[in-house]
């Protein structure tokens, strides 16, 4: 369309406005208006497709690319976009057929091969050979070695396939890229962590910690670092919160009376409202609150929805999908729903909305469950904890939020419905200590103490399980070397990676060991449910005291050690009493089922009492 005529000038003007809006919802709306004004212009439809695809509006993207392709059926960029949109809709066979047909027409482009790799990845086609996702990404890079979008796709695929060294090389090539540099650095951190190189991962993050785009990742990973003191960790979070507050303009809310006739409306915001550890602890809160008249609203900040999502939504909570809402639209949605208290369940973990919380999304804001530390944001009014994880008179110094102490434990566990019966252990089986925790939690001090336990109980073995990490031979040898440095025979260590039945691990373990600096949470609860005792050490911060809180609520305070020596002695004592623990494994589940840790109604009352007390101070 010529820009010399009025229509052409109007088109160019609208196009410039769209460009200024980036990939926002406003840009998508402007592109839709452009298509309505110029329905016969293929460029308008292409722009809408690109924006919608970036926003994961796959249905809109599919229609837009199809409309544009009706004018230019051989355009490889449009075919790439259509293939990705179809893949995003779960129409994997159509996506691959579309892209393969485009490639067959020739000439091929890097974009087409990258799109085909992404479609194969989404479809789970990770087999070796010419039909694999890896093959497609490599073909794209062969056509254009500087095409870092495909190189990043390849690096992620390699990491998923546990080819860590190759993935690391690909990420390193992209670190300086203005678009993919942040993601590449995080990929390298992931490679280090998946290679059992925790120290290297932390060192890499510290190198970039001053850059705002890396700040939250550095905060999250600092929780794993045994050398970071509680005071330093708290300062890191406060500094981040201060910077975000200075950059944010807070929304204003009128003072709200939360005891009005309509009752309190509480929103729980998380990207993890599916079969995820967060959901195991949200479910009992909803279950226990069913008779209390509390209006819970679940705000799902991701597109994932499964049987757990269905169950959460069925427990009297209103379900809202907000994954595609930007900050302003999310705030408007919460206001329209008349939310009094919005609870963050994410902290500084992936997919969080803390910068939006900094501007205030609701009259009152709290954080709970999903992160083992203060957020550092003063705009978040409350943090829900308990007296063991955050002792009153001590923990306040490390938090920017007002601490609301839930009576008993700050969590209530809802066991998985598909858990098998407790496995029996043969009376003459060798003693096995074990841990199924994220290996990032297992730092030098933890390894040293576990090595001391193995030295104290020389007939015992140690079994470690963690996802794909221990499917990597290099990672296993690295961990054996860490224990060998403490004079532990590497042959005494066994490893397990992913399994079709994750509960199989508990067939082999007698006594579980809790990491020191960053305790297990879901792992600890699951281990107890499978009849295996867990030894923990009460540490100097929330993340290091969760085990003590869970075991106390489970009626097993005798499994909590108060210092390193007591931790080793306790593990050795359980090994001496292994016959007793093997004989009573099946009884532990019944004990747990009757404990405070699984008492949903009692927990819901305590949770609500803590919230009411906090709000009463503010109203």
């Amino acid at each position: 369309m010529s820009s010399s005529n009025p229509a052409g000038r109007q088109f160019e003007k609208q196009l410039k406005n769209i460009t200024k809006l980036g990939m926002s919802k406003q840009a998508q709306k402007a592109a839709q208006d452009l298509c309505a004004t110029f329905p016969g212009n293929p460029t308008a439809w292409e722009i809408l497709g690109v924006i919608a695809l970036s926003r994961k509006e796959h249905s809109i993207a599919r229609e837009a690319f199809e409309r544009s392709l009706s004018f230019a059926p051989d355009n490889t960029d449009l075919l790439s976009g259509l293939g990705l949109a179809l893949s995003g809709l779960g129409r994997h066979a159509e996506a691959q057929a579309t892209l393969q047909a485009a490639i067959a027409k020739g000439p091929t482009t890097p974009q087409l091969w990258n799109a085909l790799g992404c479609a194969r990845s989404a479809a789970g086609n990770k087999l070796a050979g010419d039909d694999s996702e890896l093959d497609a990404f490599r073909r794209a890079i062969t056509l254009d070695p500087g095409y870092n979008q495909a190189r990043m796709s390849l690096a992620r695929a390699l990491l998923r396939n546990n080819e860590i060294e190759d993935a690391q090389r690909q990420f390193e090539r992209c670190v300086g890229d203005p678009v993919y540099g942040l993601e590449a650095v995080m990929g390298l951190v992931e490679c280090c962590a998946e290679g059992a190189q925790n120290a290297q991962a932390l060192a890499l993050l510290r190198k970039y910690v001053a850059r705002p785009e890396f700040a939250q990742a550095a905060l999250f990973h600092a929780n794993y670092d045994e050398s970071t003191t509680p005071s330093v960790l708290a300062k890191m979070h406060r500094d981040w919160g201060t910077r975000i507050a200075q950059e944010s303009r807070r929304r204003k809310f009128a003072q709200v009376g939360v005891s009005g006739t309509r009752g309190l409306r509480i929103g729980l915001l998380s990207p993890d409202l599916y079969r995820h550890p967060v959901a195991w602890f949200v479910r009992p809160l909803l279950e226990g609150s069913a008779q209390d008249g509390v209006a819970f609203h679940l705000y799902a900040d991701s597109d994932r929805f499964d049987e757990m999502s269905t169950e959460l939504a069925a427990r009297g909570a209103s379900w809202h999908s907000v994954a595609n809402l930007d900050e302003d639209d999310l705030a408007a949605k919460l206001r329209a729903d008349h939310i009094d208290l919005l609870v963050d369940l994410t902290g500084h973990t992936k997919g969080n909305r803390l910068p939006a919380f900094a501007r205030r999304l609701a009259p009152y804001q709290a954080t709970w469950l999903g992160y083992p530390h203060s957020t550092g944001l003063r705009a978040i009014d409350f943090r829900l904890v308990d007296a063991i994880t955050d002792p009153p008179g001590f923990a306040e110094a490390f938090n920017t939020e007002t601490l609301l102490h839930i009576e008993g434990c700050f969590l209530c566990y809802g066991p998985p419905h598909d858990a098998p019966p407790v496995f029996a252990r043969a009376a003459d089986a060798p003693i096995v200590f074990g841990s199924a925790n994220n290996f990032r939690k297992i730092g030098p001090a933890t390894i040293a103490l576990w090595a001391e336990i193995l030295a104290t109980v020389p007939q015992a073995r140690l079994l470690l399980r963690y996802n794909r990490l221990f499917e990597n031979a290099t990672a296993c040898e690295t961990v054996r070397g860490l224990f060998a440095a403490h004079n532990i025979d590497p042959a005494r260590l066994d490893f397990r990676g992913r399994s079709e039945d994750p509960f199989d691990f508990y067939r082999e373990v007698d006594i579980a060991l809790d990491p020191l600096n960053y305790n297990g949470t879901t792992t600890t609860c699951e281990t107890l449910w499978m009849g295996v005792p867990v030894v923990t050490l009460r540490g100097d911060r929330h993340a290091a005291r969760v085990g003590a809180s869970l075991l106390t609520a489970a009626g097993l305070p005798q499994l909590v050690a108060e210092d390193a020596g007591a931790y080793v002695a306790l593990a050795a004592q359980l090994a001496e009493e292994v016959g007793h623990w093997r004989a009573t494994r099946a009884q532990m589940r019944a004990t747990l089922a009757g404990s405070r840790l699984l008492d949903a109604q009692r927990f819901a009352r305590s949770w609500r009492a803590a919230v009411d007390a906090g709000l009463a101070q503010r109203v």
Side-chain angles (χ1 to χ4, degrees):
M1 180 180 294
S2 173
S3 59
S4 60
N5 59 64
R9 288 194 293 273
Q10 181 185 356
F11 183 87
E12 292 294 336
K13 181 179 179 181
Q14 288 184 240
L15 187 60
K16 287 181 180 178
N17 288 336
I18 293 171
T19 303
K20 293 177 183 177
L21 294 171
M23 296 293 175
S24 64
K25 185 175 182 179
Q26 292 83 354
Q28 182 174 306
K29 177 61 169 62
Q32 289 170 319
D33 292 342
L34 185 67
C35 292
T37 305
F38 302 97
N41 189 305
T43 302
W45 292 106
E46 181 179 5
I47 291 167
L48 175 58
V50 169
I51 295 172
L53 189 62
S54 74
R55 294 179 52 75
K56 297 184 180 180
E57 298 277 4
H58 296 115
S59 184
I60 295 172
R62 177 195 60 77
E63 181 182 357
F65 285 125
E66 286 180 345
R67 291 290 295 269
S68 192
L69 279 163
S70 68
F71 299 100
D74 295 324
N75 186 300
T76 55
D77 288 340
L78 298 177
L79 288 166
S80 297
L82 176 59
L84 290 173
L86 290 168
S87 184
L89 290 169
R91 294 160 60 174
H92 304 306
E94 290 179 67
Q96 293 189 60
T98 296
L99 295 163
Q100 286 167 334
I103 288 170
K105 288 180 181 180
T108 59
T109 67
Q111 290 75 17
L112 275 175
W113 282 110
N114 183 62
L116 179 59
C118 292
R120 287 173 173 173
S121 177
N125 189 358
K126 303 178 176 66
L127 300 176
D130 292 341
D131 292 330
S132 73
E133 58 176 349
L134 299 178
D135 172 69
F137 295 138
R138 286 180 173 129
R139 285 174 181 258
I141 295 169
T142 298
L143 289 170
D144 180 3
Y147 185 33
N148 282 341
Q149 182 176 352
R151 194 175 293 281
M152 287 296 296
S153 297
L154 174 61
R156 288 190 292 266
L158 289 166
L159 188 56
R160 283 194 302 272
N161 284 297
N162 216 30
E163 298 181 36
I164 296 172
E165 293 81 4
D166 198 0
Q168 187 168 339
R169 285 191 290 270
Q170 302 301 331
F171 282 127
E172 286 171 346
R173 293 280 296 272
C174 299
V175 167
D177 188 284
V179 175
Y180 299 105
L182 168 61
E183 188 179 349
V185 170
M186 294 313 302
L188 288 174
V189 171
E190 190 75 10
C191 286
C192 289
E194 290 298 332
Q197 298 175 323
N198 291 347
Q200 292 89 327
L202 288 164
L204 189 59
L205 280 169
R206 288 194 186 100
K207 179 179 178 181
Y208 293 97
V209 69
R211 292 174 55 176
E213 64 267 37
F214 291 95
Q216 280 191 288
L219 292 178
F220 172 64
H221 284 272
N223 287 285
Y224 295 125
D225 184 16
E226 294 174 339
S227 67
T228 301
T229 66
S231 296
V232 169
L233 193 60
K235 183 178 185 304
M236 290 173 64
H237 284 78
R238 284 195 302 270
D239 289 348
W240 178 87
T242 299
R243 180 177 63 78
I244 292 298
Q246 291 171 345
E247 297 172 358
S248 303
R249 186 180 62 208
R250 289 196 186 183
R251 298 179 181 86
K252 300 294 184 182
F253 287 87
Q255 189 70 20
V256 177
V258 296
S259 57
T261 56
R262 66 169 171 78
L264 182 66
R265 294 189 182 219
I266 301 175
L268 305 178
L269 175 64
S270 173
D272 303 320
L273 299 176
Y274 57 93
R275 194 178 174 94
H276 180 281
V278 164
W280 298 124
F281 299 102
V282 170
R283 186 176 67 184
L285 173 62
L286 301 179
E287 179 184 342
S289 303
Q291 307 303 319
D292 293 345
V294 180
F296 277 104
H297 290 251
L298 299 180
Y299 293 93
D301 208 10
S302 79
D303 294 324
R304 296 191 64 169
F305 191 95
D306 59 14
E307 73 284 352
M308 174 60 86
S309 309
T310 301
E311 186 174 351
L312 293 177
R315 292 187 179 276
S318 299
W319 183 277
H320 310 272
S321 180
V322 297
N324 293 320
L325 297 186
D326 61 20
E327 184 178 301
D328 291 331
D329 287 336
L330 176 60
K333 167 68 176 168
L334 293 163
R335 192 185 293 268
D337 291 340
H338 303 290
I339 296 301
D340 301 305
L341 171 69
L342 182 65
V343 185
D344 157 64
L345 305 181
T346 315
H348 289 279
T349 62
K350 186 177 181 180
N352 73 80
R353 292 273 194 152
L354 290 185
F357 274 89
R359 292 187 59 196
R360 192 164 286 278
L361 290 167
Y364 299 97
Q365 302 185 141
T367 186
W368 170 61
L369 169 60
Y371 187 68
H373 199 278
S374 166
T375 63
L377 283 178
R378 297 192 181 279
I380 294 185
D381 305 290
F382 310 113
R383 183 170 175 235
L384 288 149
V385 295
D386 65 49
I388 294 179
T389 60
D390 295 81
F394 167 76
E396 289 83 358
F398 306 108
N399 291 267
T400 52
E401 306 89 354
T402 296
L403 296 181
L404 303 182
H405 290 89
I406 299 172
E407 184 185 359
C409 183
F410 79 109
L411 297 174
C412 182
Y413 181 57
H417 301 315
D418 57 354
V422 172
F423 303 121
R425 286 279 287 159
D428 59 349
I431 297 172
V432 177
F433 292 104
S435 171
N437 282 281
N438 182 338
F439 194 76
R440 299 180 204 194
K441 297 181 178 182
I442 302 172
T446 297
I447 289 172
L449 215 54
W450 289 2
E452 189 174 345
I453 291 170
L454 291 175
T456 305
V457 189
Q459 73 275 29
R461 303 180 65 80
L462 175 63
L463 176 62
L464 300 176
R465 184 195 76 186
Y466 182 58
N467 292 339
R468 64 183 179 229
L469 172 65
F470 294 127
E471 296 168 9
N472 183 283
T474 302
C476 293
E477 288 308 308
T478 298
V479 175
R480 286 193 174 98
L482 295 173
F483 281 86
H486 294 278
N487 299 314
I488 298 300
D489 181 355
R492 295 178 66 191
L493 272 68
D494 296 309
F495 303 97
R496 299 289 182 271
R498 291 166 290 189
S499 170
E500 291 185 7
D501 183 357
F503 297 103
D504 272 350
F505 175 76
Y506 301 106
R507 294 180 187 274
E508 307 177 72
V509 177
D510 292 299
I511 304 156
L513 302 176
D514 203 12
L516 305 187
N517 192 64
Y518 195 146
N519 298 161
T521 305
T522 310
T523 305
T524 295
C525 293
E526 180 181 278
T527 302
L528 294 173
W529 189 245
M530 294 306 297
V532 179
V534 180
V535 178
T536 194
L537 170 63
R538 192 190 308 262
D540 62 358
R541 66 197 74 191
H542 176 102
R545 299 171 70 92
V546 168
S549 178
L550 295 174
L551 287 166
T552 301
L556 296 166
Q558 69 271 29
L559 299 182
V560 180
E562 299 298 331
D563 57 49
Y567 181 88
V568 173
L570 181 56
Q573 177 187 334
L574 265 61
E576 289 181 3
E577 301 168 351
V578 70
H580 162 76
W581 291 102
R582 287 175 177 174
T584 58
R585 281 167 75 103
Q587 298 173 25
M588 187 181 292
R589 181 172 294 187
T591 300
L592 199 65
S595 74
R596 187 167 196 145
L597 186 59
L598 270 72
D599 190 339
Q601 292 190 346
R602 184 176 183 177
F603 174 75
R605 290 194 299 270
S606 299
W607 194 95
R608 179 63 192 275
V611 166
D612 287 346
L615 292 175
Q617 298 172 13
R618 299 295 179 101
V619 175

